[in-house]
Amino acid sequence: MTMQAEPTSFEFDTESEGLVLAAIACYPAGKQASAVMPMLDIAQRQVARHTGSAWVPRVAMDVIAKRLGMAPIRVYEVATFYLMYNTKPVGKYHLQVCTTTPCWLRGSDEVVSACKKHAGISEFGETSEDGLFTMTEVECLGGCVNAPILQINDDYFEDMDGARTQAMLENLKAGGALPPAGSTAGRSGSAPAAGLTALLPISEPVE
Amino acid sequence: MAKVTVDGIEIEIANGSSVLQACEMAGKEIPRFCYHERLSIAGNCRMCLVEIEKMPKPVASCGQPVGDGMVIKTDTETVRKARRGVMEFLLVNHPLDCPICDQGGECDLQDEAVGYGRGYSRYEENKRSVGQADWGPLVKTTMTRCIHCTRCVRFSTEVAGVPELGATARGESMRVGTYVEKALSSELSGNIIDLCPVGALTSKPYAYTARPWELKKTDSVDVFDAVGANIRVDARGAEVLRILPRVNDAVNEEWLGDKSRFAVDGLKRRRLDRPWIRENGKLRAASWEEAFAVIANRIKAVPGEKIGAIIGDQCDAESMLALKDMMSALGSPNIDCRQDGAALDASRREFYLFNTTIAGIEEADALLIIGSNPRREAPVLNARIRKRWLTGGLAVGLIGELADLTYEFDYIGSGPESLKALGGFADKLQAAKKPMIILGQGALQRDDGAAVLAAAWALAAKYNMLNAEWHGFNVLHTAAARVGALDLGLVPGVGGKKISAMLGGGVDVLWLLAADEFDTSKIGRETFVIYQGHHGDAGAARADVILPGAAYTEKPGTYVNTEGRAQFGFMAVSPPGDAREDWRILRAISAYIGHALPYDDVSALRARLIQANPIFGEIGEVRRLAGLNHEAPVGDAAGIGSVPFSNAVHNYYQTDPISRASPTMAACVAAHYGTQAEAAE
């Protein structure tokens, strides 16, 4: 497994710097600390751009603390509270499997075992040997209508099952790109999976 | 004012008070873990639930403001049931390891569990366990026991002003800690041990030493700085095991500096427990009789003006007065309590007192610090400045060494020339209604010290710090004995020699009363040195005769803090071995050399103290002086030099013989100053 080591320094690059200035400008003077959440996100995306792994190293949190005039521990608290910030390196594809009741009822166990088998991961929170995948168990992603959900990086892949999970992972392993987000079963948005059951065209006039 | 009824008792309480405060006012005890009077309200332990009429659910009383006409019930079945539920949840993850926990016997959770806990546990799943964290040499952590009240987090952020602690992660994974492993760098870090309601944070040096019910508790006064924090000395047998703060809102609130709390292990090491005599260049153990004979032989052969005395930093007023009376009887005017050579003017009390008083800091609206780092010289006083600063509207200016004081300040300059031109800070002082100056010992222990004192006084007069309602001129002392000594007039009399003149052979016989904080190598080669004190430190190493005295926990004594507040400390344990209370030693030797002091017991000595200065009759009190007399101290303000100020205390953890003998303090130095301190030694 190719785990990244904790870097010794961090600096916002030019692309991030513009976003940082915009984020800080959203808040009145003296309240810059409010920008800590966008700043952490900007840092995480920058690290992803540079290393392929979306995470916030501690040095980045220190840089943010200094920039916003906060105590470093206050930034650590925010970064560790929200699961969307990764404080440890993750694989290039961060597989976030929802296992909350609706997804579980609709077969999230299958998705989990397919991820384990085809990404080469034995436990939640692990990263595969090739550094490509990290699997995390997440709570409700709010997409229950299209359960089960597999979130990879920023995108939701809906209506998953074991076979489609396998195909997606094999494609990614072979160097393929992520498919477009949304239902993998071909339904449109959150329309009923087995065709419309209501609001059907009226076949006979009502008497 | 709001009228509320608590369990049928009608009380009136100020608007904005919490329901919990109302209940306390009515004499009802509300259990709590996270709520603390001196910290912000967190409301996360839920133990303080009460029932309020017309409210559908039990209410956390700590965070609920009172409303007019509220009817509060603190002891109904609903309340008891709710608290029992909270307690059961708290105990779900709290280990039941009381027998091996140092908090046992003084644990809030243990106490409340007696009232609200179940006799057995319904929880069968695995308990949460948390890895060990190292917070440095003072605080021992067992974070599995943590109930997430966040008192320590709030203390370090709000009171100490060193935000290093936080609660990271969430839910069951939540941890209170530093996130990045490091030793707590606050000088007040020991207070989180007192604040922790469970055994998560305990004292590392005191670990597994004693149970609270084994300890004899004695009220005393701290002598490691000049604040005079009120302390409780916990001893078992002849051994002082720990020091805890006592509440005194006028002095230390309920905080205590780390040195004052943890240097106690120095009381057991390097002690002088028998008299010693130097023979042929080597010290040998002797009896009191022999030691007295040697001293008497020497003193009888020397005229009074060739005898001198230097007073140490931790002496009690009783022994200082006894020494002064003996020196007077011997006809010697050579006595000096300013062993650091500080140019303190003893002619008027307000020239050397912290006139604003510590509680008075909370009224100030501008503060100029000169040649001092209050954080290291008086951490508890610094916490008071920070408390005032946090409420807003306090402008702080600093002249001297740049340092992190835990509050923001305007840096004016490093040396005395900044006293002449305050720059932009002058306008802030001008605009202030109650401005104050804090003059550190670092600004006075210099060749131009008297000039700096005069210049600072001139500033105080110029910026309206001296008026009928307000006295804004403050000297911050670092030695617990200094103000008491100045009050007793332990400065050279007419024609007397000060410390610099006594060194280098200025006197033939030199009496050191626990004086170790000067360069003893400067004492003349032929000078006969008598060291009376409790630790084998610099003074004892140079001595020709050593008389073993008592440390501050081993004698009843009066100490005057930097505000001029006389406070009394009781005797917690006996001095070790042949050592005796210092005033008794002086009384005995005075009789031996034919000048018996006119007091045979401590009450007669106290009467003599009050006769010498009436302030010793007002124990615990301080009279705030009005700044009506603008007459300046001696010294020419124009004579100030250009050398930058150097603070009196650089190494907070080792400032006196006790803390230098303490392994805990040595560990703190290694953890915080590292190799830098060694280089400076």
Side-chain angles (χ1 to χ4, degrees):
Chain A
M1 192 173 69
T2 51
M3 260 314 228
Q4 292 181 28
E6 178 85 32
T8 51
S9 69
F10 177 87
E11 226 178 310
F12 285 111
D13 60 16
T14 29
E15 189 180 339
S16 302
E17 192 54 42
L19 298 167
V20 165
L21 291 174
I24 295 177
C26 288
Y27 303 98
K31 308 281 179 193
Q32 299 89 344
S34 297
V36 65
M37 293 189 56
M39 296 271 278
L40 283 166
D41 185 61
I42 294 163
Q44 178 158 310
R45 284 173 196 282
Q46 176 181 324
V47 174
R49 271 201 309 280
H50 291 207
T51 69
S53 168
W55 70 297
V56 200
R58 188 175 64 79
V59 279
M61 297 191 240
D62 291 343
V63 166
I64 293 170
K66 201 159 184 204
R67 185 77 180 261
L68 299 179
M70 327 165 60
I73 185 74
R74 298 282 96 86
V75 181
Y76 307 154
E77 284 179 326
V78 173
T80 53
F81 184 88
Y82 294 101
L83 300 178
M84 294 79 173
Y85 302 120
N86 302 311
T87 49
K88 289 204 176 75
V90 294
K92 185 178 176 192
Y93 300 105
H94 189 192
L95 312 175
Q96 296 151 80
V97 194
C98 175
T99 55
T100 311
T101 319
C103 281
W104 173 68
L105 286 169
R106 297 279 295 157
S108 66
D109 285 354
E110 246 184 80
V111 181
V112 171
S113 52
C115 283
K116 281 184 180 171
K117 191 166 166 199
H118 299 287
I121 293 168
S122 53
E123 290 289 336
F124 284 120
E126 253 184 33
T127 303
S128 58
E129 287 287 327
D130 54 10
L132 216 46
F133 301 106
T134 297
M135 179 172 64
T136 315
E137 184 179 36
V138 295
E139 302 302 332
C140 186
L141 291 170
C144 313
V145 174
N146 294 16
I149 309 284
L150 169 63
Q151 184 188 352
I152 303 182
N153 297 348
D154 288 338
D155 293 331
Y156 277 18
F157 297 96
E158 302 156 0
D159 298 323
M160 297 303 289
D161 63 9
R164 285 198 286 275
T165 306
Q166 179 184 348
M168 197 181 276
L169 296 186
E170 294 300 343
N171 175 38
L172 292 175
K173 272 206 272 192
L178 278 171
S183 173
T184 52
R187 73 163 134 165
S188 154
S190 297
L196 293 181
T197 55
L199 299 178
L200 296 166
I202 298 165
S203 50
E204 282 173 30
V206 182
E207 288 188 12
Chain B
M1 298 297 272
K3 266 198 184 123
V4 297
T5 313
V6 182
D7 290 349
I9 303 166
E10 239 183 61
I11 55 158
E12 260 193 67
I13 190 164
N15 287 325
S17 309
S18 66
V19 170
L20 191 146
Q21 284 168 323
C23 296
E24 287 203 324
M25 205 179 185
K28 301 290 167 188
E29 197 177 306
I30 307 291
R32 86 285 303 266
F33 296 116
C34 73
Y35 175 81
H36 192 276
E37 304 88 64
R38 295 178 210 277
L39 302 175
S40 64
I41 293 167
N44 49 17
C45 78
R46 315 311 288 179
M47 195 62 198
C48 62
L49 295 174
V50 296
E51 216 183 334
I52 301 177
E53 263 183 24
K54 299 196 183 99
M55 291 206 183
K57 294 192 289 182
V59 176
S61 59
C62 65
Q64 177 74 32
V66 291
D68 204 26
M70 256 184 189
V71 180
I72 303 158
K73 291 170 189 161
T74 69
D75 196 28
T76 62
E77 192 45 45
T78 316
V79 168
R80 281 195 293 269
K81 207 175 153 196
R83 288 183 190 160
R84 274 189 219 117
V86 169
M87 177 57 80
E88 189 171 12
F89 273 121
L90 285 174
L91 291 178
V92 153
N93 276 319
H94 189 83
L96 301 181
D97 61 350
C98 301
I100 56 155
C101 174
D102 251 344
Q103 192 84 351
E106 49 187 0
C107 173
D108 290 354
L109 190 65
Q110 209 176 29
D111 293 348
E112 297 301 346
V114 172
Y116 299 99
R118 302 174 70 93
Y120 61 95
S121 176
R122 296 190 291 178
Y123 187 74
E124 289 172 355
E125 289 76 13
N126 287 331
K127 288 194 178 225
R128 181 190 66 126
S129 79
V130 181
Q132 285 298 327
D134 184 2
W135 289 9
L138 302 178
V139 181
K140 180 171 181 279
T141 64
T142 314
M143 298 316 284
T144 300
R145 298 181 189 138
C146 176
I147 58 167
H148 302 155
C149 70
T150 68
R151 276 187 189 177
C152 55
V153 177
R154 283 174 283 147
F155 175 84
S156 62
T157 309
E158 293 161 15
V159 179
V162 186
E164 291 170 320
L165 290 174
T168 52
R170 64 196 289 186
E172 205 191 13
S173 326
M174 181 171 154
R175 303 280 182 269
V176 170
T178 49
Y179 191 68
V180 184
E181 185 139 301
K182 62 171 176 180
L184 300 180
S185 63
S186 166
E187 288 78 9
L188 292 167
S189 65
N191 294 297
I192 62 176
I193 297 168
D194 294 343
L195 288 172
C196 184
V198 295
L201 307 179
T202 50
S203 167
K204 205 174 245 182
Y206 172 73
Y208 308 127
T209 309
R211 285 300 189 188
W213 55 84
E214 300 174 294
L215 301 170
K216 193 185 88 180
K217 298 154 181 84
T218 312
D219 287 356
S220 188
V221 180
D222 175 49
V223 298
F224 290 95
D225 58 34
V227 172
N230 290 201
I231 55 168
R232 191 184 93 190
V233 180
D234 283 5
R236 184 176 57 190
E239 203 181 351
V240 175
L241 293 180
R242 64 171 179 180
I243 304 270
L244 296 178
R246 273 188 293 140
V247 177
N248 187 335
D249 281 327
V251 182
N252 57 318
E253 299 185 272
E254 58 181 275
W255 316 128
L256 190 61
D258 284 350
K259 178 174 47 180
S260 311
R261 184 189 295 264
F262 293 108
V264 278
D265 52 356
L267 289 170
K268 290 184 285 189
R269 290 172 175 81
R270 293 199 218 156
R271 287 306 299 268
L272 302 172
D273 57 358
R274 61 203 300 184
W276 297 78
I277 297 172
R278 192 176 294 278
E279 272 176 2
N280 306 323
K282 277 198 175 154
L283 285 169
R284 75 160 175 88
S287 67
W288 280 105
E289 196 68 20
E290 286 175 284
F292 277 10
V294 171
I295 294 171
N297 279 339
R298 188 69 193 220
I299 282 186
K300 275 175 189 162
V302 174
E305 62 269 20
K306 295 299 272 179
I307 304 174
I310 300 173
I311 313 295
D313 285 355
Q314 299 180 319
C315 301
D316 55 316
E318 286 81 354
S319 61
M320 292 193 292
L321 182 64
L323 181 58
K324 187 185 183 211
D325 285 347
M326 190 174 85
M327 295 299 284
S328 308
L330 288 167
S332 163
N334 310 320
I335 191 160
D336 203 342
C337 65
R338 300 161 298 187
Q339 51 173 327
D340 53 9
L344 290 160
D345 186 340
S347 61
R348 245 173 52 218
R349 248 192 133 205
E350 53 195 303
F351 292 153
Y352 59 83
L353 287 190
F354 199 94
N355 295 294
T356 303
T357 71
I358 295 170
I361 293 172
E362 294 187 32
E363 297 167 30
D365 52 3
L367 165 64
L368 176 61
I369 300 172
I370 303 168
S372 175
N373 177 349
R375 185 175 162 188
R376 288 197 176 164
E377 291 168 23
V380 171
L381 186 139
N382 197 54
R384 192 73 81 128
I385 300 175
R386 179 175 159 79
K387 184 183 176 191
R388 170 66 193 89
W389 177 78
L390 279 178
T391 58
L394 178 72
V396 185
L398 174 70
I399 300 176
E401 285 182 53
L402 199 54
D404 175 9
L405 298 181
T406 73
Y407 37 85
E408 285 168 17
F409 53 81
D410 294 352
Y411 188 60
I412 301 165
S414 62
E417 60 268 36
S418 301
L419 292 171
K420 294 178 197 154
L422 297 175
F425 195 72
D427 299 336
K428 293 183 183 175
L429 278 181
Q430 198 74 57
K433 292 197 172 56
K434 290 184 168 184
M436 63 186 281
I437 279 183
I438 292 181
L439 189 58
Q441 295 301 298
L444 300 173
Q445 309 166 341
R446 309 154 44 98
D447 295 338
D448 60 352
V452 172
L453 181 69
W457 181 269
L459 274 182
K462 181 179 170 191
Y463 289 103
N464 191 31
M465 298 187 198
L466 309 172
N467 56 53
E469 275 86 48
W470 181 251
H471 201 312
F473 182 78
N474 300 290
V475 176
L476 178 60
H477 289 269
T478 53
R482 193 66 41 83
V483 174
L486 293 169
D487 281 343
L488 292 170
L490 271 72
V491 288
V494 181
K497 291 171 174 151
K498 48 183 200 171
I499 176 166
S500 51
M502 284 189 257
L503 302 180
V507 290
D508 290 342
V509 174
L510 186 59
W511 195 295
L512 303 179
L513 186 61
D516 297 284
E517 311 308 320
F518 64 96
D519 186 357
T520 49
S521 65
K522 286 191 182 152
I523 300 175
R525 282 175 59 89
E526 301 302 316
T527 308
F528 181 78
V529 178
I530 302 151
Y531 181 82
Q532 178 186 351
H534 41 83
H535 271 74
D537 206 87
R542 170 61 184 82
D544 293 293
V545 177
I546 294 174
L547 303 177
Y552 72 115
T553 49
E554 295 151 9
K555 58 186 169 191
T558 311
Y559 303 90
V560 187
N561 79 352
T562 191
E563 307 168 281
R565 185 189 305 272
Q567 300 187 103
F568 191 73
F570 290 90
M571 174 172 166
V573 294
S574 308
D578 287 342
R580 291 290 179 270
E581 279 173 53
D582 291 279
W583 82 268
R584 288 181 196 279
I585 297 171
L586 290 160
R587 171 70 181 77
I589 184 94
S590 69
Y592 203 91
I593 56 177
H595 295 282
L597 293 171
Y599 21 84
D600 297 333
D601 56 27
V602 83
S603 55
L605 176 53
R606 295 257 156 73
R608 166 80 183 105
L609 264 182
I610 295 167
Q611 183 205 349
N613 193 329
I615 68 117
F616 289 99
E618 300 162 5
I619 296 293
E621 301 297 321
V622 67
R623 257 180 299 174
R624 278 177 81 166
L625 301 169
L628 291 175
N629 187 347
H630 287 212
E631 198 188 317
V634 291
D636 178 11
I640 52 177
S642 56
V643 186
F645 291 126
S646 172
N647 290 336
V649 177
H650 285 106
N651 176 355
Y652 166 70
Y653 296 100
Q654 293 175 324
T655 53
D656 49 84
I658 302 175
S659 55
R660 277 192 293 269
S662 158
T664 307
M665 291 295 105
C668 284
V669 169
H672 296 298
Y673 305 141
T675 48
Q676 174 200 341
E678 281 159 33
E681 285 288 317

